Amino acid sequence: MASDFETRLRAVSLRVTRPRLAVLTALRDHPHVATDTVIALVRADQPTVSHQAVYDVLRALTDAGLVRRIQPARATARYELRVGDNHHHVVCRSCGAIADVDCAVGHAPCLTASDHHGFVVDEAEVVYWGTCPGCATARTSQ
């Protein structure tokens, strides 16, 4: 029986390869990770996979819509498997931790721009910035 990742790859006409499966597994187990972390996770399981292969896989999976690339201001690009639902992110200013945030009210309310300037808006990116619980606790205990 084909795995869920194999089914997803085939659904977007991508070949099922060990590096692609390894990247998808790494992103499933570690959402919002940078490229260097993905490389380390993949190579821990498959040491012969090159850095360039991981970059190529991330690009192919992102282009196919299986992976989402996010890059909050002043942060390195991160990758996640949660795609197609117009969710947003909260980022810790101190440690850089990132968490998913669903739209606050109803169905994609942030898609109603106050002035769309003639654009047909189909996606919005909202990034909330603050301090994560761990960093907030560390600050108060100092």
Side-chain angles (χ1 to χ4, degrees):
M1 176 181 232
S3 76
D4 182 48
F5 290 148
E6 291 171 351
T7 302
R8 289 185 203 181
L9 287 166
R10 288 185 179 109
V12 295
S13 300
L14 289 176
R15 285 189 359 249
V16 175
T17 64
R18 285 191 352 251
R20 287 178 179 160
L21 293 172
V23 167
L24 289 167
T25 300
L27 294 177
R28 179 196 62 208
D29 297 342
H30 305 275
H32 308 121
V33 293
T35 307
D36 289 346
T37 303
V38 176
I39 291 169
L41 291 166
V42 168
R43 294 195 69 182
D45 186 50
Q46 297 184 25
T48 61
V49 174
S50 71
H51 285 68
Q52 189 59 50
V54 174
Y55 281 105
D56 292 345
V57 167
L58 286 169
R59 186 178 321 101
L61 296 175
T62 301
D63 290 348
L66 295 178
V67 168
R68 181 176 177 190
R69 180 183 187 271
I70 60 169
Q71 188 165 9
R74 302 175 308 277
T76 59
R78 308 289 183 98
Y79 295 88
E80 65 180 343
L81 290 183
R82 188 172 170 188
V83 297
D85 66 350
N86 199 55
H87 73 279
H88 308 297
H89 298 93
V90 60
V91 181
C92 179
R93 289 184 191 279
S94 183
C95 70
I98 299 176
D100 291 333
V101 177
D102 292 327
C103 285
V105 181
H107 180 68
C110 48
L111 293 182
T112 306
S114 60
D115 184 352
H116 56 73
H117 300 279
F119 285 70
V120 177
V121 178
D122 62 7
E123 182 178 1
E125 288 188 21
V126 175
V127 178
Y128 300 95
W129 292 88
T131 306
C132 73
C135 290
T137 300
R139 282 186 184 169
T140 59
S141 65
Q142 291 177 352

